[in-house]
């Protein structure tokens, strides 16, 4: 698999919100934001047979997003 990591130094995600962040239109930023970023990312990763996970940057603020993409069939055969 190929893994990409994106680190964000923002305020992070409150622990009580972790179950909601993947829902369309859910946001902590108020009405100026649509709340579609993470749901769109999750849908793209699902269609690519990959995964996305968010890990807190403890003790620093923010999160790290890990995007894991599967190997292509030809790459899987070469790595075996």
């Amino acid at each position: 698999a190929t893994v990409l990591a994106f680190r964000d130094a923002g305020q992070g995600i409150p622990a009580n919100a972790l179950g909601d962040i993947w829902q369309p239109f859910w946001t902590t930023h108020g009405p100026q934001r649509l709340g579609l970023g993470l749901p769109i990312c999750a849908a793209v990763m699902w269609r690519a047979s990959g995964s996305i996970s968010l890990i807190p940057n403890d003790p620093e603020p923010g999160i790290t997003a890990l995007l894991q993409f599967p190997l292509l069939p030809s790459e899987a055969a070469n790595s075996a």
Side-chain angles (χ1 to χ4, degrees):
T2 298
V3 178
L4 297 176
F6 296 91
R7 187 177 175 115
D8 176 282
Q11 65 184 1
I13 300 169
N16 63 346
L18 290 175
D20 298 321
I21 60 174
W22 304 105
Q23 298 300 317
F25 306 109
W26 189 90
T27 180
T28 60
H29 298 288
Q32 73 272 21
R33 303 279 180 95
L34 292 178
L36 293 174
L38 287 175
I40 289 172
C41 289
V44 168
M45 293 305 296
W46 179 78
R47 285 182 169 235
S49 299
S51 65
I52 181 171
S53 55
L54 303 177
I55 302 168
N57 292 342
D58 290 334
E60 299 173 14
I63 61 155
T64 297
L66 296 177
L67 285 74
Q68 184 170 354
F69 296 88
L71 293 176
L72 296 173
S74 61
E75 293 172 324
N78 290 336
S79 68

